[in-house]
Amino acid sequence: MNQTEWITALRQALRGLPREDVERSVGFYEEAIQDRMEEGCTEEEAVAAIGTPRDIADQILAEIPLTKLVRKKVAPTRAFRPWEIILLILGAPLWLPLLLAAVSVFLAIYIALWSVILSLYAVDLSVAACGIAGIVGTFLYGYLSGGHIAGSLLFLGAGLLCSGIALFLVFGFNQAARGILLLSKQFMLCIKALFKKKEEAA
């Protein structure tokens, strides 16, 4: 793929985003390709080193604030006519609750994703605390029971077991957190994609 084809594909992938963002991004990547070619790369090598237009478009979309996309999508292209204003007012009891419900669902899903991450680490912290308590309890029980070995060993074993489980869980929870963060990012990209205009950016 040469530079012209790559830029055309990028413009196609960015279609529907605000024009100023499209032009700024296209200009940036045109310059990046030119810089690589000046360093001695062929045109195809320079284009390949940048990445695919689809991946670049996803990165650009991720960086654009959702509020900017929403404003662009809902901004009227012309002044409202009187009858349109009347319809909006009369229809408010219908569309306003639906809008609030949609926003509430979006926020609930987003908060739920982050709550899962916090819950995972809270579980791990609790298990680690049990491990520490078990190890400390070994000495306390030994002191209070007058040197009862079996009970002390039970506390020590439970403490070491919980500590080991906590260490094991932290690795699994880190992977789960990365997955949830990726899911959260994809969810946000899907929401942003809803606000992309389907027609060519003017």
Side-chain angles (χ1 to χ4, degrees), residues 3 6-7 25-39 41-43 45-47 49-50 56:
Q3 179 179 351
W6 194 92
I7 293 297
S25 300
V26 167
F28 174 81
Y29 286 103
E30 280 179 335
E31 187 175 331
I33 292 170
Q34 289 298 323
D35 288 345
R36 289 181 183 272
M37 290 170 63
E38 288 171 6
E39 292 170 1
C41 293
T42 66
E43 186 175 2
E45 289 171 344
V47 166
I50 296 293
I56 297 297

mmCIF file with all atom_site columns, all heavy atoms in Angstrom, residues 3 6-7 25-39 41-43 45-47 49-50 56:
data_model
loop_
_atom_site.group_PDB
_atom_site.id
_atom_site.type_symbol
_atom_site.label_atom_id
_atom_site.label_alt_id
_atom_site.label_comp_id
_atom_site.label_asym_id
_atom_site.label_entity_id
_atom_site.label_seq_id
_atom_site.pdbx_PDB_ins_code
_atom_site.Cartn_x
_atom_site.Cartn_y
_atom_site.Cartn_z
_atom_site.occupancy
_atom_site.B_iso_or_equiv
_atom_site.pdbx_formal_charge
_atom_site.auth_seq_id
_atom_site.auth_comp_id
_atom_site.auth_asym_id
_atom_site.auth_atom_id
_atom_site.pdbx_PDB_model_num
ATOM 1   N N   . GLN A 1 3  ? 1.427  5.607  -0.041 1.00 0.00 ? 3  GLN A N   1
ATOM 2   C CA  . GLN A 1 3  ? 0.963  6.659  0.864  1.00 0.00 ? 3  GLN A CA  1
ATOM 3   C C   . GLN A 1 3  ? -0.440 7.146  0.502  1.00 0.00 ? 3  GLN A C   1
ATOM 4   O O   . GLN A 1 3  ? -1.290 7.324  1.382  1.00 0.00 ? 3  GLN A O   1
ATOM 5   C CB  . GLN A 1 3  ? 1.944  7.834  0.833  1.00 0.00 ? 3  GLN A CB  1
ATOM 6   C CG  . GLN A 1 3  ? 1.519  8.980  1.740  1.00 0.00 ? 3  GLN A CG  1
ATOM 7   C CD  . GLN A 1 3  ? 2.515  10.126 1.731  1.00 0.00 ? 3  GLN A CD  1
ATOM 8   O OE1 . GLN A 1 3  ? 3.592  10.005 1.175  1.00 0.00 ? 3  GLN A OE1 1
ATOM 9   N NE2 . GLN A 1 3  ? 2.150  11.233 2.349  1.00 0.00 ? 3  GLN A NE2 1
ATOM 10  N N   . TRP A 1 6  ? -3.009 4.648  1.557  1.00 0.00 ? 6  TRP A N   1
ATOM 11  C CA  . TRP A 1 6  ? -3.105 4.580  3.014  1.00 0.00 ? 6  TRP A CA  1
ATOM 12  C C   . TRP A 1 6  ? -3.881 5.775  3.560  1.00 0.00 ? 6  TRP A C   1
ATOM 13  O O   . TRP A 1 6  ? -4.753 5.627  4.412  1.00 0.00 ? 6  TRP A O   1
ATOM 14  C CB  . TRP A 1 6  ? -1.702 4.528  3.617  1.00 0.00 ? 6  TRP A CB  1
ATOM 15  C CG  . TRP A 1 6  ? -1.677 4.140  5.057  1.00 0.00 ? 6  TRP A CG  1
ATOM 16  C CD1 . TRP A 1 6  ? -1.548 2.891  5.572  1.00 0.00 ? 6  TRP A CD1 1
ATOM 17  C CD2 . TRP A 1 6  ? -1.781 5.027  6.185  1.00 0.00 ? 6  TRP A CD2 1
ATOM 18  N NE1 . TRP A 1 6  ? -1.572 2.924  6.951  1.00 0.00 ? 6  TRP A NE1 1
ATOM 19  C CE2 . TRP A 1 6  ? -1.714 4.228  7.357  1.00 0.00 ? 6  TRP A CE2 1
ATOM 20  C CE3 . TRP A 1 6  ? -1.931 6.396  6.331  1.00 0.00 ? 6  TRP A CE3 1
ATOM 21  C CZ2 . TRP A 1 6  ? -1.785 4.766  8.634  1.00 0.00 ? 6  TRP A CZ2 1
ATOM 22  C CZ3 . TRP A 1 6  ? -2.007 6.932  7.604  1.00 0.00 ? 6  TRP A CZ3 1
ATOM 23  C CH2 . TRP A 1 6  ? -1.932 6.125  8.742  1.00 0.00 ? 6  TRP A CH2 1
ATOM 24  N N   . ILE A 1 7  ? -3.566 6.964  3.056  1.00 0.00 ? 7  ILE A N   1
ATOM 25  C CA  . ILE A 1 7  ? -4.251 8.182  3.515  1.00 0.00 ? 7  ILE A CA  1
ATOM 26  C C   . ILE A 1 7  ? -5.736 8.124  3.145  1.00 0.00 ? 7  ILE A C   1
ATOM 27  O O   . ILE A 1 7  ? -6.607 8.509  3.932  1.00 0.00 ? 7  ILE A O   1
ATOM 28  C CB  . ILE A 1 7  ? -3.586 9.440  2.921  1.00 0.00 ? 7  ILE A CB  1
ATOM 29  C CG1 . ILE A 1 7  ? -2.172 9.616  3.503  1.00 0.00 ? 7  ILE A CG1 1
ATOM 30  C CG2 . ILE A 1 7  ? -4.426 10.677 3.173  1.00 0.00 ? 7  ILE A CG2 1
ATOM 31  C CD1 . ILE A 1 7  ? -2.121 9.853  4.993  1.00 0.00 ? 7  ILE A CD1 1
ATOM 32  N N   . SER A 1 25 ? -5.356 14.805 11.991 1.00 0.00 ? 25 SER A N   1
ATOM 33  C CA  . SER A 1 25 ? -4.800 13.452 12.042 1.00 0.00 ? 25 SER A CA  1
ATOM 34  C C   . SER A 1 25 ? -4.160 13.061 10.716 1.00 0.00 ? 25 SER A C   1
ATOM 35  O O   . SER A 1 25 ? -3.062 12.496 10.688 1.00 0.00 ? 25 SER A O   1
ATOM 36  C CB  . SER A 1 25 ? -5.902 12.445 12.401 1.00 0.00 ? 25 SER A CB  1
ATOM 37  O OG  . SER A 1 25 ? -6.454 12.745 13.661 1.00 0.00 ? 25 SER A OG  1
ATOM 38  N N   . VAL A 1 26 ? -4.849 13.363 9.626  1.00 0.00 ? 26 VAL A N   1
ATOM 39  C CA  . VAL A 1 26 ? -4.299 13.038 8.302  1.00 0.00 ? 26 VAL A CA  1
ATOM 40  C C   . VAL A 1 26 ? -2.987 13.782 8.085  1.00 0.00 ? 26 VAL A C   1
ATOM 41  O O   . VAL A 1 26 ? -1.992 13.206 7.618  1.00 0.00 ? 26 VAL A O   1
ATOM 42  C CB  . VAL A 1 26 ? -5.322 13.368 7.192  1.00 0.00 ? 26 VAL A CB  1
ATOM 43  C CG1 . VAL A 1 26 ? -4.661 13.347 5.821  1.00 0.00 ? 26 VAL A CG1 1
ATOM 44  C CG2 . VAL A 1 26 ? -6.482 12.376 7.233  1.00 0.00 ? 26 VAL A CG2 1
ATOM 45  N N   . GLY A 1 27 ? -2.956 15.055 8.447  1.00 0.00 ? 27 GLY A N   1
ATOM 46  C CA  . GLY A 1 27 ? -1.723 15.833 8.302  1.00 0.00 ? 27 GLY A CA  1
ATOM 47  C C   . GLY A 1 27 ? -0.587 15.258 9.129  1.00 0.00 ? 27 GLY A C   1
ATOM 48  O O   . GLY A 1 27 ? 0.562  15.181 8.670  1.00 0.00 ? 27 GLY A O   1
ATOM 49  N N   . PHE A 1 28 ? -0.912 14.835 10.342 1.00 0.00 ? 28 PHE A N   1
ATOM 50  C CA  . PHE A 1 28 ? 0.111  14.264 11.225 1.00 0.00 ? 28 PHE A CA  1
ATOM 51  C C   . PHE A 1 28 ? 0.710  12.999 10.616 1.00 0.00 ? 28 PHE A C   1
ATOM 52  O O   . PHE A 1 28 ? 1.937  12.825 10.588 1.00 0.00 ? 28 PHE A O   1
ATOM 53  C CB  . PHE A 1 28 ? -0.501 13.951 12.593 1.00 0.00 ? 28 PHE A CB  1
ATOM 54  C CG  . PHE A 1 28 ? 0.431  13.230 13.516 1.00 0.00 ? 28 PHE A CG  1
ATOM 55  C CD1 . PHE A 1 28 ? 1.398  13.916 14.231 1.00 0.00 ? 28 PHE A CD1 1
ATOM 56  C CD2 . PHE A 1 28 ? 0.351  11.844 13.654 1.00 0.00 ? 28 PHE A CD2 1
ATOM 57  C CE1 . PHE A 1 28 ? 2.274  13.243 15.079 1.00 0.00 ? 28 PHE A CE1 1
ATOM 58  C CE2 . PHE A 1 28 ? 1.218  11.164 14.497 1.00 0.00 ? 28 PHE A CE2 1
ATOM 59  C CZ  . PHE A 1 28 ? 2.181  11.866 15.210 1.00 0.00 ? 28 PHE A CZ  1
ATOM 60  N N   . TYR A 1 29 ? -0.147 12.115 10.111 1.00 0.00 ? 29 TYR A N   1
ATOM 61  C CA  . TYR A 1 29 ? 0.356  10.848 9.579  1.00 0.00 ? 29 TYR A CA  1
ATOM 62  C C   . TYR A 1 29 ? 1.007  11.013 8.209  1.00 0.00 ? 29 TYR A C   1
ATOM 63  O O   . TYR A 1 29 ? 1.928  10.259 7.873  1.00 0.00 ? 29 TYR A O   1
ATOM 64  C CB  . TYR A 1 29 ? -0.754 9.792  9.569  1.00 0.00 ? 29 TYR A CB  1
ATOM 65  C CG  . TYR A 1 29 ? -1.026 9.295  10.967 1.00 0.00 ? 29 TYR A CG  1
ATOM 66  C CD1 . TYR A 1 29 ? -2.135 9.727  11.683 1.00 0.00 ? 29 TYR A CD1 1
ATOM 67  C CD2 . TYR A 1 29 ? -0.133 8.442  11.594 1.00 0.00 ? 29 TYR A CD2 1
ATOM 68  C CE1 . TYR A 1 29 ? -2.356 9.297  12.981 1.00 0.00 ? 29 TYR A CE1 1
ATOM 69  C CE2 . TYR A 1 29 ? -0.343 8.010  12.892 1.00 0.00 ? 29 TYR A CE2 1
ATOM 70  C CZ  . TYR A 1 29 ? -1.452 8.440  13.581 1.00 0.00 ? 29 TYR A CZ  1
ATOM 71  O OH  . TYR A 1 29 ? -1.658 8.021  14.867 1.00 0.00 ? 29 TYR A OH  1
ATOM 72  N N   . GLU A 1 30 ? 0.564  11.978 7.431  1.00 0.00 ? 30 GLU A N   1
ATOM 73  C CA  . GLU A 1 30 ? 1.277  12.271 6.182  1.00 0.00 ? 30 GLU A CA  1
ATOM 74  C C   . GLU A 1 30 ? 2.708  12.703 6.490  1.00 0.00 ? 30 GLU A C   1
ATOM 75  O O   . GLU A 1 30 ? 3.662  12.261 5.839  1.00 0.00 ? 30 GLU A O   1
ATOM 76  C CB  . GLU A 1 30 ? 0.553  13.380 5.408  1.00 0.00 ? 30 GLU A CB  1
ATOM 77  C CG  . GLU A 1 30 ? -0.653 12.905 4.627  1.00 0.00 ? 30 GLU A CG  1
ATOM 78  C CD  . GLU A 1 30 ? -1.346 14.039 3.892  1.00 0.00 ? 30 GLU A CD  1
ATOM 79  O OE1 . GLU A 1 30 ? -1.224 15.209 4.331  1.00 0.00 ? 30 GLU A OE1 1
ATOM 80  O OE2 . GLU A 1 30 ? -2.013 13.762 2.886  1.00 0.00 ? 30 GLU A OE2 1
ATOM 81  N N   . GLU A 1 31 ? 2.838  13.556 7.494  1.00 0.00 ? 31 GLU A N   1
ATOM 82  C CA  . GLU A 1 31 ? 4.170  14.029 7.885  1.00 0.00 ? 31 GLU A CA  1
ATOM 83  C C   . GLU A 1 31 ? 5.009  12.889 8.455  1.00 0.00 ? 31 GLU A C   1
ATOM 84  O O   . GLU A 1 31 ? 6.212  12.789 8.176  1.00 0.00 ? 31 GLU A O   1
ATOM 85  C CB  . GLU A 1 31 ? 4.026  15.147 8.921  1.00 0.00 ? 31 GLU A CB  1
ATOM 86  C CG  . GLU A 1 31 ? 5.335  15.821 9.264  1.00 0.00 ? 31 GLU A CG  1
ATOM 87  C CD  . GLU A 1 31 ? 5.149  17.002 10.203 1.00 0.00 ? 31 GLU A CD  1
ATOM 88  O OE1 . GLU A 1 31 ? 4.071  17.630 10.171 1.00 0.00 ? 31 GLU A OE1 1
ATOM 89  O OE2 . GLU A 1 31 ? 6.093  17.285 10.960 1.00 0.00 ? 31 GLU A OE2 1
ATOM 90  N N   . ALA A 1 32 ? 4.373  11.997 9.225  1.00 0.00 ? 32 ALA A N   1
ATOM 91  C CA  . ALA A 1 32 ? 5.107  10.864 9.797  1.00 0.00 ? 32 ALA A CA  1
ATOM 92  C C   . ALA A 1 32 ? 5.634  9.945  8.697  1.00 0.00 ? 32 ALA A C   1
ATOM 93  O O   . ALA A 1 32 ? 6.771  9.454  8.767  1.00 0.00 ? 32 ALA A O   1
ATOM 94  C CB  . ALA A 1 32 ? 4.198  10.083 10.747 1.00 0.00 ? 32 ALA A CB  1
ATOM 95  N N   . ILE A 1 33 ? 4.818  9.720  7.680  1.00 0.00 ? 33 ILE A N   1
ATOM 96  C CA  . ILE A 1 33 ? 5.257  8.879  6.556  1.00 0.00 ? 33 ILE A CA  1
ATOM 97  C C   . ILE A 1 33 ? 6.407  9.556  5.817  1.00 0.00 ? 33 ILE A C   1
ATOM 98  O O   . ILE A 1 33 ? 7.407  8.915  5.464  1.00 0.00 ? 33 ILE A O   1
ATOM 99  C CB  . ILE A 1 33 ? 4.068  8.580  5.614  1.00 0.00 ? 33 ILE A CB  1
ATOM 100 C CG1 . ILE A 1 33 ? 3.048  7.675  6.324  1.00 0.00 ? 33 ILE A CG1 1
ATOM 101 C CG2 . ILE A 1 33 ? 4.547  7.931  4.320  1.00 0.00 ? 33 ILE A CG2 1
ATOM 102 C CD1 . ILE A 1 33 ? 1.733  7.514  5.586  1.00 0.00 ? 33 ILE A CD1 1
ATOM 103 N N   . GLN A 1 34 ? 6.272  10.863 5.585  1.00 0.00 ? 34 GLN A N   1
ATOM 104 C CA  . GLN A 1 34 ? 7.336  11.599 4.898  1.00 0.00 ? 34 GLN A CA  1
ATOM 105 C C   . GLN A 1 34 ? 8.642  11.549 5.696  1.00 0.00 ? 34 GLN A C   1
ATOM 106 O O   . GLN A 1 34 ? 9.725  11.391 5.121  1.00 0.00 ? 34 GLN A O   1
ATOM 107 C CB  . GLN A 1 34 ? 6.910  13.059 4.679  1.00 0.00 ? 34 GLN A CB  1
ATOM 108 C CG  . GLN A 1 34 ? 5.826  13.247 3.633  1.00 0.00 ? 34 GLN A CG  1
ATOM 109 C CD  . GLN A 1 34 ? 6.264  12.781 2.253  1.00 0.00 ? 34 GLN A CD  1
ATOM 110 O OE1 . GLN A 1 34 ? 7.420  12.952 1.858  1.00 0.00 ? 34 GLN A OE1 1
ATOM 111 N NE2 . GLN A 1 34 ? 5.339  12.177 1.518  1.00 0.00 ? 34 GLN A NE2 1
ATOM 112 N N   . ASP A 1 35 ? 8.544  11.681 7.012  1.00 0.00 ? 35 ASP A N   1
ATOM 113 C CA  . ASP A 1 35 ? 9.745  11.628 7.856  1.00 0.00 ? 35 ASP A CA  1
ATOM 114 C C   . ASP A 1 35 ? 10.446 10.284 7.722  1.00 0.00 ? 35 ASP A C   1
ATOM 115 O O   . ASP A 1 35 ? 11.680 10.217 7.633  1.00 0.00 ? 35 ASP A O   1
ATOM 116 C CB  . ASP A 1 35 ? 9.377  11.876 9.325  1.00 0.00 ? 35 ASP A CB  1
ATOM 117 C CG  . ASP A 1 35 ? 8.995  13.321 9.585  1.00 0.00 ? 35 ASP A CG  1
ATOM 118 O OD1 . ASP A 1 35 ? 9.288  14.180 8.725  1.00 0.00 ? 35 ASP A OD1 1
ATOM 119 O OD2 . ASP A 1 35 ? 8.381  13.597 10.641 1.00 0.00 ? 35 ASP A OD2 1
ATOM 120 N N   . ARG A 1 36 ? 9.675  9.213  7.702  1.00 0.00 ? 36 ARG A N   1
ATOM 121 C CA  . ARG A 1 36 ? 10.276 7.881  7.569  1.00 0.00 ? 36 ARG A CA  1
ATOM 122 C C   . ARG A 1 36 ? 10.919 7.705  6.197  1.00 0.00 ? 36 ARG A C   1
ATOM 123 O O   . ARG A 1 36 ? 11.962 7.061  6.077  1.00 0.00 ? 36 ARG A O   1
ATOM 124 C CB  . ARG A 1 36 ? 9.228  6.799  7.815  1.00 0.00 ? 36 ARG A CB  1
ATOM 125 C CG  . ARG A 1 36 ? 8.807  6.706  9.272  1.00 0.00 ? 36 ARG A CG  1
ATOM 126 C CD  . ARG A 1 36 ? 7.784  5.611  9.486  1.00 0.00 ? 36 ARG A CD  1
ATOM 127 N NE  . ARG A 1 36 ? 7.335  5.593  10.868 1.00 0.00 ? 36 ARG A NE  1
ATOM 128 C CZ  . ARG A 1 36 ? 7.926  4.922  11.847 1.00 0.00 ? 36 ARG A CZ  1
ATOM 129 N NH1 . ARG A 1 36 ? 9.015  4.224  11.586 1.00 0.00 ? 36 ARG A NH1 1
ATOM 130 N NH2 . ARG A 1 36 ? 7.449  4.951  13.079 1.00 0.00 ? 36 ARG A NH2 1
ATOM 131 N N   . MET A 1 37 ? 10.285 8.273  5.183  1.00 0.00 ? 37 MET A N   1
ATOM 132 C CA  . MET A 1 37 ? 10.864 8.174  3.841  1.00 0.00 ? 37 MET A CA  1
ATOM 133 C C   . MET A 1 37 ? 12.160 8.973  3.752  1.00 0.00 ? 37 MET A C   1
ATOM 134 O O   . MET A 1 37 ? 13.111 8.565  3.078  1.00 0.00 ? 37 MET A O   1
ATOM 135 C CB  . MET A 1 37 ? 9.845  8.647  2.799  1.00 0.00 ? 37 MET A CB  1
ATOM 136 C CG  . MET A 1 37 ? 8.674  7.675  2.631  1.00 0.00 ? 37 MET A CG  1
ATOM 137 S SD  . MET A 1 37 ? 7.316  8.334  1.642  1.00 0.00 ? 37 MET A SD  1
ATOM 138 C CE  . MET A 1 37 ? 8.116  8.573  0.068  1.00 0.00 ? 37 MET A CE  1
ATOM 139 N N   . GLU A 1 38 ? 12.217 10.104 4.451  1.00 0.00 ? 38 GLU A N   1
ATOM 140 C CA  . GLU A 1 38 ? 13.450 10.896 4.462  1.00 0.00 ? 38 GLU A CA  1
ATOM 141 C C   . GLU A 1 38 ? 14.571 10.181 5.205  1.00 0.00 ? 38 GLU A C   1
ATOM 142 O O   . GLU A 1 38 ? 15.750 10.433 4.960  1.00 0.00 ? 38 GLU A O   1
ATOM 143 C CB  . GLU A 1 38 ? 13.184 12.261 5.107  1.00 0.00 ? 38 GLU A CB  1
ATOM 144 C CG  . GLU A 1 38 ? 12.353 13.187 4.231  1.00 0.00 ? 38 GLU A CG  1
ATOM 145 C CD  . GLU A 1 38 ? 11.921 14.448 4.961  1.00 0.00 ? 38 GLU A CD  1
ATOM 146 O OE1 . GLU A 1 38 ? 12.366 14.654 6.115  1.00 0.00 ? 38 GLU A OE1 1
ATOM 147 O OE2 . GLU A 1 38 ? 11.130 15.219 4.383  1.00 0.00 ? 38 GLU A OE2 1
ATOM 148 N N   . GLU A 1 39 ? 14.187 9.280  6.123  1.00 0.00 ? 39 GLU A N   1
ATOM 149 C CA  . GLU A 1 39 ? 15.194 8.508  6.859  1.00 0.00 ? 39 GLU A CA  1
ATOM 150 C C   . GLU A 1 39 ? 15.714 7.325  6.050  1.00 0.00 ? 39 GLU A C   1
ATOM 151 O O   . GLU A 1 39 ? 16.586 6.586  6.515  1.00 0.00 ? 39 GLU A O   1
ATOM 152 C CB  . GLU A 1 39 ? 14.595 8.002  8.179  1.00 0.00 ? 39 GLU A CB  1
ATOM 153 C CG  . GLU A 1 39 ? 14.305 9.117  9.172  1.00 0.00 ? 39 GLU A CG  1
ATOM 154 C CD  . GLU A 1 39 ? 13.494 8.636  10.367 1.00 0.00 ? 39 GLU A CD  1
ATOM 155 O OE1 . GLU A 1 39 ? 13.174 7.426  10.425 1.00 0.00 ? 39 GLU A OE1 1
ATOM 156 O OE2 . GLU A 1 39 ? 13.169 9.472  11.227 1.00 0.00 ? 39 GLU A OE2 1
ATOM 157 N N   . CYS A 1 41 ? 13.538 4.942  4.324  1.00 0.00 ? 41 CYS A N   1
ATOM 158 C CA  . CYS A 1 41 ? 12.562 3.876  4.083  1.00 0.00 ? 41 CYS A CA  1
ATOM 159 C C   . CYS A 1 41 ? 11.909 4.084  2.716  1.00 0.00 ? 41 CYS A C   1
ATOM 160 O O   . CYS A 1 41 ? 11.779 5.213  2.242  1.00 0.00 ? 41 CYS A O   1
ATOM 161 C CB  . CYS A 1 41 ? 11.472 3.892  5.153  1.00 0.00 ? 41 CYS A CB  1
ATOM 162 S SG  . CYS A 1 41 ? 12.043 3.465  6.799  1.00 0.00 ? 41 CYS A SG  1
ATOM 163 N N   . THR A 1 42 ? 11.492 2.983  2.120  1.00 0.00 ? 42 THR A N   1
ATOM 164 C CA  . THR A 1 42 ? 10.683 3.107  0.914  1.00 0.00 ? 42 THR A CA  1
ATOM 165 C C   . THR A 1 42 ? 9.279  3.547  1.326  1.00 0.00 ? 42 THR A C   1
ATOM 166 O O   . THR A 1 42 ? 8.919  3.500  2.508  1.00 0.00 ? 42 THR A O   1
ATOM 167 C CB  . THR A 1 42 ? 10.593 1.767  0.166  1.00 0.00 ? 42 THR A CB  1
ATOM 168 O OG1 . THR A 1 42 ? 9.873  0.828  0.985  1.00 0.00 ? 42 THR A OG1 1
ATOM 169 C CG2 . THR A 1 42 ? 11.970 1.222  -0.163 1.00 0.00 ? 42 THR A CG2 1
ATOM 170 N N   . GLU A 1 43 ? 8.492  3.947  0.348  1.00 0.00 ? 43 GLU A N   1
ATOM 171 C CA  . GLU A 1 43 ? 7.133  4.407  0.658  1.00 0.00 ? 43 GLU A CA  1
ATOM 172 C C   . GLU A 1 43 ? 6.316  3.298  1.311  1.00 0.00 ? 43 GLU A C   1
ATOM 173 O O   . GLU A 1 43 ? 5.613  3.529  2.299  1.00 0.00 ? 43 GLU A O   1
ATOM 174 C CB  . GLU A 1 43 ? 6.446  4.881  -0.627 1.00 0.00 ? 43 GLU A CB  1
ATOM 175 C CG  . GLU A 1 43 ? 5.093  5.522  -0.394 1.00 0.00 ? 43 GLU A CG  1
ATOM 176 C CD  . GLU A 1 43 ? 4.497  6.085  -1.676 1.00 0.00 ? 43 GLU A CD  1
ATOM 177 O OE1 . GLU A 1 43 ? 5.115  5.949  -2.750 1.00 0.00 ? 43 GLU A OE1 1
ATOM 178 O OE2 . GLU A 1 43 ? 3.389  6.653  -1.591 1.00 0.00 ? 43 GLU A OE2 1
ATOM 179 N N   . GLU A 1 45 ? 7.462  0.671  2.993  1.00 0.00 ? 45 GLU A N   1
ATOM 180 C CA  . GLU A 1 45 ? 7.989  0.394  4.334  1.00 0.00 ? 45 GLU A CA  1
ATOM 181 C C   . GLU A 1 45 ? 7.528  1.450  5.331  1.00 0.00 ? 45 GLU A C   1
ATOM 182 O O   . GLU A 1 45 ? 7.167  1.131  6.473  1.00 0.00 ? 45 GLU A O   1
ATOM 183 C CB  . GLU A 1 45 ? 9.518  0.351  4.300  1.00 0.00 ? 45 GLU A CB  1
ATOM 184 C CG  . GLU A 1 45 ? 10.089 -0.863 3.587  1.00 0.00 ? 45 GLU A CG  1
ATOM 185 C CD  . GLU A 1 45 ? 11.596 -0.762 3.392  1.00 0.00 ? 45 GLU A CD  1
ATOM 186 O OE1 . GLU A 1 45 ? 12.143 0.359  3.521  1.00 0.00 ? 45 GLU A OE1 1
ATOM 187 O OE2 . GLU A 1 45 ? 12.217 -1.797 3.114  1.00 0.00 ? 45 GLU A OE2 1
ATOM 188 N N   . ALA A 1 46 ? 7.543  2.706  4.897  1.00 0.00 ? 46 ALA A N   1
ATOM 189 C CA  . ALA A 1 46 ? 7.116  3.794  5.778  1.00 0.00 ? 46 ALA A CA  1
ATOM 190 C C   . ALA A 1 46 ? 5.649  3.639  6.155  1.00 0.00 ? 46 ALA A C   1
ATOM 191 O O   . ALA A 1 46 ? 5.265  3.811  7.318  1.00 0.00 ? 46 ALA A O   1
ATOM 192 C CB  . ALA A 1 46 ? 7.352  5.140  5.099  1.00 0.00 ? 46 ALA A CB  1
ATOM 193 N N   . VAL A 1 47 ? 4.832  3.284  5.172  1.00 0.00 ? 47 VAL A N   1
ATOM 194 C CA  . VAL A 1 47 ? 3.397  3.101  5.428  1.00 0.00 ? 47 VAL A CA  1
ATOM 195 C C   . VAL A 1 47 ? 3.171  1.907  6.353  1.00 0.00 ? 47 VAL A C   1
ATOM 196 O O   . VAL A 1 47 ? 2.373  1.972  7.297  1.00 0.00 ? 47 VAL A O   1
ATOM 197 C CB  . VAL A 1 47 ? 2.638  2.922  4.089  1.00 0.00 ? 47 VAL A CB  1
ATOM 198 C CG1 . VAL A 1 47 ? 1.236  2.406  4.322  1.00 0.00 ? 47 VAL A CG1 1
ATOM 199 C CG2 . VAL A 1 47 ? 2.601  4.240  3.330  1.00 0.00 ? 47 VAL A CG2 1
ATOM 200 N N   . ALA A 1 49 ? 5.181  0.699  8.552  1.00 0.00 ? 49 ALA A N   1
ATOM 201 C CA  . ALA A 1 49 ? 5.674  0.977  9.905  1.00 0.00 ? 49 ALA A CA  1
ATOM 202 C C   . ALA A 1 49 ? 4.674  1.788  10.721 1.00 0.00 ? 49 ALA A C   1
ATOM 203 O O   . ALA A 1 49 ? 4.651  1.703  11.951 1.00 0.00 ? 49 ALA A O   1
ATOM 204 C CB  . ALA A 1 49 ? 7.007  1.717  9.827  1.00 0.00 ? 49 ALA A CB  1
ATOM 205 N N   . ILE A 1 50 ? 3.849  2.567  10.056 1.00 0.00 ? 50 ILE A N   1
ATOM 206 C CA  . ILE A 1 50 ? 2.866  3.399  10.765 1.00 0.00 ? 50 ILE A CA  1
ATOM 207 C C   . ILE A 1 50 ? 1.770  2.537  11.377 1.00 0.00 ? 50 ILE A C   1
ATOM 208 O O   . ILE A 1 50 ? 1.319  2.776  12.489 1.00 0.00 ? 50 ILE A O   1
ATOM 209 C CB  . ILE A 1 50 ? 2.248  4.442  9.798  1.00 0.00 ? 50 ILE A CB  1
ATOM 210 C CG1 . ILE A 1 50 ? 3.315  5.414  9.301  1.00 0.00 ? 50 ILE A CG1 1
ATOM 211 C CG2 . ILE A 1 50 ? 1.105  5.193  10.456 1.00 0.00 ? 50 ILE A CG2 1
ATOM 212 C CD1 . ILE A 1 50 ? 3.878  6.326  10.347 1.00 0.00 ? 50 ILE A CD1 1
ATOM 213 N N   . ILE A 1 56 ? -5.173 2.874  13.425 1.00 0.00 ? 56 ILE A N   1
ATOM 214 C CA  . ILE A 1 56 ? -4.916 4.295  13.678 1.00 0.00 ? 56 ILE A CA  1
ATOM 215 C C   . ILE A 1 56 ? -6.232 5.026  13.930 1.00 0.00 ? 56 ILE A C   1
ATOM 216 O O   . ILE A 1 56 ? -6.332 5.860  14.836 1.00 0.00 ? 56 ILE A O   1
ATOM 217 C CB  . ILE A 1 56 ? -4.160 4.928  12.486 1.00 0.00 ? 56 ILE A CB  1
ATOM 218 C CG1 . ILE A 1 56 ? -2.786 4.263  12.305 1.00 0.00 ? 56 ILE A CG1 1
ATOM 219 C CG2 . ILE A 1 56 ? -4.023 6.429  12.662 1.00 0.00 ? 56 ILE A CG2 1
ATOM 220 C CD1 . ILE A 1 56 ? -1.837 4.435  13.461 1.00 0.00 ? 56 ILE A CD1 1
#
